[in-house]
Amino acid sequence: MKRHIVIASVAAAALLTGGTAVAIAGSGSGSGSTDRARSSSTAPEALTSQASGTASGTTARASFSDAAEAALKAVPGTLASLDLDHGARTTWDADVLGDDGTWHEITLDASDARVLSQRVDRDENDPEDAAEDAAEVAALKKATVTATEAARKAAPRSTVTSVEFDDDGTPAWEVEVVRDHTEHELYVDARSGKVTQAPADDDHDNDDDYGDDD
C-alpha cells in the first residue's frame, strides 16, 4: 500500500525548465534496514545538490541526504517517503514511521533542510486501518534497502524528485528522477536492491535492469 499518491510532475517540470536540481552524488549503498538519524561522524556520504533558482525565487541547496537526516533527527525512526514539492515555498516533504510506531509528516525547507512543521499523521494512525497499516509497517521493517540507499542506486548522475516505499506486490522503493532533461520512474527492490524501469502499467515486477544494482 502506498501511504498516499505522490505526484512529482510539478517538481520534474521545474527541473526541466531550470528549476531546483537536487542531484545524487556517489553510488555507495551503505547497510541497515532503516534510514535513521546519524551524527555527523557517522553520516553516509552526502548526496550533494546542484543549486539553481526556483519559480518562487528561492534556492534549493539541501540535498536528499540532508533532508533525510534532518527529518530523522526531528523524529527518530524509519523514513518511508521523501518528496521535493514546488509550491509557494520549495520544500522536502517526509513521512517517517517513528520508533514508537506512530506515523509523522515533516516539512523541511529545501534551502537548508530546516524543519518547518511536523505533525502526527492521524489518518495513518486510524484504528480502522490498523490491519492494512500493520502490513505496511511489517514490510517496511523487513526492507534491507533504505530510502537513501534506493536513491543512490536508482540515480547515479540523475536528479531525484521523489522516493516512496510501496508495499503493493513486491516491496520496493518507487523513485522518480530526471536524467538528461527526461523524467524517469524507477523501482528499487526493497530487499535485493535491484533497479528496474517502471513500465507503463506501473507493475514493478518488470525484470529489466536499470542503473547499478550492486
Side-chain angles (χ1 to χ4, degrees), residues 186-207:
L186 309 170
Y187 288 107
V188 180
D189 190 290
R191 296 182 185 177
S192 71
K194 182 178 181 179
V195 181
T196 57
Q197 179 76 50
D201 62 1
D202 199 35
D203 177 6
H204 56 77
D205 289 331
N206 187 358
D207 290 331

Side-chain angles (χ1 to χ4, degrees), residues 10-191:
V10 175
L15 289 164
L16 294 173
T17 57
T20 303
V22 182
I24 295 296
S27 59
S29 60
S31 61
S33 62
T34 61
D35 274 319
R36 296 189 179 276
R38 300 175 174 88
S39 67
S40 58
S41 62
T42 58
E45 290 298 322
L47 305 183
T48 62
S49 63
Q50 297 176 349
S52 60
T54 67
S56 62
T58 60
T59 301
R61 295 183 179 277
S63 69
F64 184 96
S65 62
D66 290 336
E69 184 174 2
L72 290 165
K73 187 174 293 185
V75 179
T78 304
L79 184 66
S81 71
L82 184 59
D83 312 295
L84 188 62
D85 179 24
H86 289 275
R89 181 175 194 168
T90 305
T91 60
W92 282 104
D93 298 334
D95 289 315
V96 175
L97 175 62
D99 285 337
D100 62 355
T102 302
W103 286 103
H104 298 259
E105 292 183 350
I106 305 167
T107 300
L108 306 105
D109 193 318
S111 65
D112 57 8
R114 177 169 49 90
V115 175
L116 300 175
S117 66
Q118 65 183 82
R119 70 180 186 87
V120 173
D121 188 344
R122 301 296 181 186
D123 292 337
E124 287 297 328
N125 294 306
D126 188 337
E128 293 183 4
D129 299 326
E132 189 174 16
D133 186 58
E136 180 183 10
V137 169
L140 184 60
K141 288 186 175 297
K142 289 179 181 178
T144 56
V145 176
T146 69
T148 299
E149 290 166 356
R152 286 199 184 98
K153 288 175 177 291
R157 303 174 301 281
S158 297
T159 299
V160 173
T161 58
S162 174
V163 177
E164 182 180 17
F165 185 72
D166 181 4
D167 68 330
D168 290 337
T170 303
W173 292 100
E174 185 176 300
V175 184
E176 295 180 2
V177 306
V178 172
R179 176 180 289 184
D180 297 329
H181 305 290
T182 302
E183 184 179 10
H184 300 275
E185 185 174 346
L186 309 170
Y187 288 107
V188 180
D189 190 290
R191 296 182 185 177

